[in-house]
Amino acid sequence: MPSIGPVDAATRYWQTQRSSKLMPISNRVTPGERISSLRRIIATQGYAVIIEAHSGLSAIVGETARAEIDGATKEYDGLWESSLTDSGTKGLPDASIVGPESRLHTIDEIIHVTTKPVIVDGDTGGETSQFDDLVIRLERLGASAVIIEDKVFPKRNSLDASASQELEDPVIFAEKIQAGKSATVTDDFMIIARIESLIAGTGLQDAMRRAELYIQAGVDGIMIHSGRREPDELFEFAQAYRPLCDRLGRRPLLVSVPTTYNHHPDEALVELGFDIIIHANHLLRASHMAMRKVAQLILESGSSFQADSICSPVKEIFSEVGFDTLAAKDRQRNAMLRLPVIIPAAGRDPIFPEQPKSLIDVAGRPILHHQLESIRKAGLKDVVVVRGHEGAQFDAYSEEANLVLCDNPSYAQTQSVDSLMKARTYMAQGFVLVFSDLLFDQEILGQLVRTDKDIVLAIDNSYTYHRHDVDKRLDLVVSKKSFQTQFRSLSPEPVTELARIGKTIELDTADYEFIGIAFLSEQGAKILQDTYDDCMTRSGSSFHEATSFSLAKMTDLFQELIDRGFPVHGLEVSKGWREIHTRQDLEIAEAEMAALAQRN
Ligand code: SPV
Ligand code: MG
């Protein structure tokens, strides 16, 4: 039998909890963190390489792309939300036709599914007031920068050499930059000016003059664009940029979009002084070519069979967009609904000696009937009853669908733990424990099963309001938060970690009573069984409140788990249950049910 030393097993438990629960948090980013991350990357790495995205899926592809080079992993530093590819995706030309609302929708779509910095193509920025509004919205979304070009609205894409390109008056454009800067909330959000002199053919001198004006206006970066394959003037600009900045006393970032001159590698552009390199349209162009190929192939071959080899498998798309995670959650939920409910019902109660407690009639039906009704309303199906005293009376239930009868022949010498363990073959996926003397609403089961804890007991504190009238032995509970005085006045958390459980706790010390329903996840059930097995090997004298381990009650075993460092939680429920301890309880329950039936 494996020995699970108290410390070892609990330490292992906490380690697995930490590693499994931190993952989703590290995968999220706040707008503020995302905005500043672009500057941070450039400050630490010296440059940033950006890939275009035009949709959520293309953004995921860009964000997750990896290359192993000389033992190091390379990835993109951020995403470019391009007007060319956003328009192209919609089947429209890049000519100020797709409006800002639509563009913002795409940007939001990209930001929603990624964590990397996003640089937005702001076209001309529109009028000053429109640009202000764009800046406010982009900063709030978490984009790191917007690039606006010094052309006149409506602009035409810069890569079409035949298009006539009209440039904006640089003084007016500089004012737009200033207005945009004053609309920002943080210093992190960047406004980058894109100089189109080399596209419009007005030459290097014009480009340099514009750069000076824009730098003086407070711009955070300059993008110098060229549609040439050998952009000599652009390289000259890059060389003259450093002395210009030295003269002006500040050097905004320098940005390159090497679509036409991409035989000059990124590294060479960084050498020339570029800080940001944007590969501006490649994911759209790649998907366009792939789509055309596949569309044609299916037509030619009369089936999609041959196209399969050049399409991503559906499963890959599923996992790319998080369908896998969602399906895993569904599976988890369905597994929850398949959880067995185990009812230890073997004991003999001296107040009701003639019957198993489960089969006492309340309002004309045995307690077990009421329990099965609530269990099934909660969506749980499988029920295991452990019988002992007057066990043959359960024979009437042997044909009941999804109900298993288990025997505890030693019931007269043992207590609830022993009975529960007679059903251990049903615990592999976790289980719900229900005491046999309890009437309860289905909501309690649903709430318990939905907590993300491994061992959760339904607890109620209503007895504390009349604790001095309590005349029966309750399963009392002390929660950990009762040690933390600062929490006492706050509204109670529904789930709380427990410190003590047992019948001999002083009524004044306890916060809650355990009502007799508990949920144990797969891991919780394993911990419970391992602990039980370990205690069996050591059993001898007393075990918590029991005089021997074989007489242990569930409260004793739960206390043992707490002492070993496994978290046992309580979920607060304040109504919807009644236990039948005495004949008076029976009368009260019947009266309550009659009142309820009348109301309905
Ligand atoms: C874009 O990607 O939309 C750009 C860059 O503005 S370019 O197409 O080269 O003008
Ligand atoms: Mg553009």
Side-chain angles (χ1 to χ4, degrees), residues 343-345 349 352 357-360 362 367-368 371 434-440 475 503 515-517 577-582 585-586:
I343 307 173
D349 187 327
F352 303 96
K357 198 87 166 281
S358 255
L359 298 184
I360 296 168
V362 179
I367 293 177
L368 182 58
Q371 292 189 331
V434 170
F435 284 180
S436 64
D437 56 359
L438 197 68
L439 301 171
F440 57 91
D475 289 337
K503 286 186 193 303
I515 72 166
I517 309 182
W577 66 279
R578 174 162 297 284
E579 66 191 334
I580 308 296
H581 273 187
T582 61
D585 291 336
L586 205 62

Side-chain angles (χ1 to χ4, degrees), residues 80-145:
W80 164 244
E81 200 280 335
S82 143
S83 67
L84 167 64
T85 67
D86 193 349
S87 309
T89 303
K90 292 170 176 61
L92 290 169
D94 178 22
S96 305
I97 292 170
V98 176
E101 294 299 331
S102 173
R103 295 287 307 283
L104 282 162
H105 190 280
T106 310
I107 294 160
D108 185 42
E109 183 178 311
I110 290 170
I111 283 182
H112 184 55
V113 294
T114 58
T115 60
K116 294 197 173 192
V118 174
I119 303 178
V120 171
D121 176 357
D123 285 339
T124 65
E127 277 189 343
T128 301
S129 55
Q130 289 172 314
F131 184 49
D132 282 358
D133 187 63
L134 181 66
V135 167
I136 291 166
R137 286 173 187 249
L138 291 179
E139 190 177 24
R140 192 167 55 217
L141 279 175
S144 296

Side-chain angles (χ1 to χ4, degrees), residues 441-475:
D441 283 348
Q442 74 267 19
E443 281 86 19
I444 296 180
L445 291 182
Q447 286 166 13
L448 271 181
V449 166
R450 278 194 297 274
T451 63
D452 64 348
K453 307 293 182 215
D454 288 312
I455 302 170
V456 199
L457 279 48
I459 55 175
D460 189 330
N461 69 356
S462 40
Y463 84 91
T464 56
Y465 302 112
H466 50 90
R467 64 174 97 210
H468 300 297
D469 304 332
V470 174
D471 55 1
K472 49 196 170 200
R473 273 299 179 85
L474 305 178
D475 289 337

Side-chain angles (χ1 to χ4, degrees), residues 2-20 454 523 526-527 530 564-567:
S3 160
I4 50 157
V7 176
D8 286 0
T11 307
R12 267 202 313 276
Y13 173 83
W14 282 110
Q15 279 163 352
T16 58
Q17 290 301 296
R18 264 194 289 278
S19 58
S20 64
D454 288 312
Q523 194 174 8
K526 183 173 181 322
I527 289 168
D530 287 350
R564 288 176 179 234
F566 294 113

Side-chain angles (χ1 to χ4, degrees), residues 413-425:
Q413 292 82 44
T414 63
Q415 285 285 348
S416 51
V417 168
D418 182 55
S419 277
L420 177 70
M421 287 301 157
K422 292 290 186 287
R424 66 186 295 171
T425 50

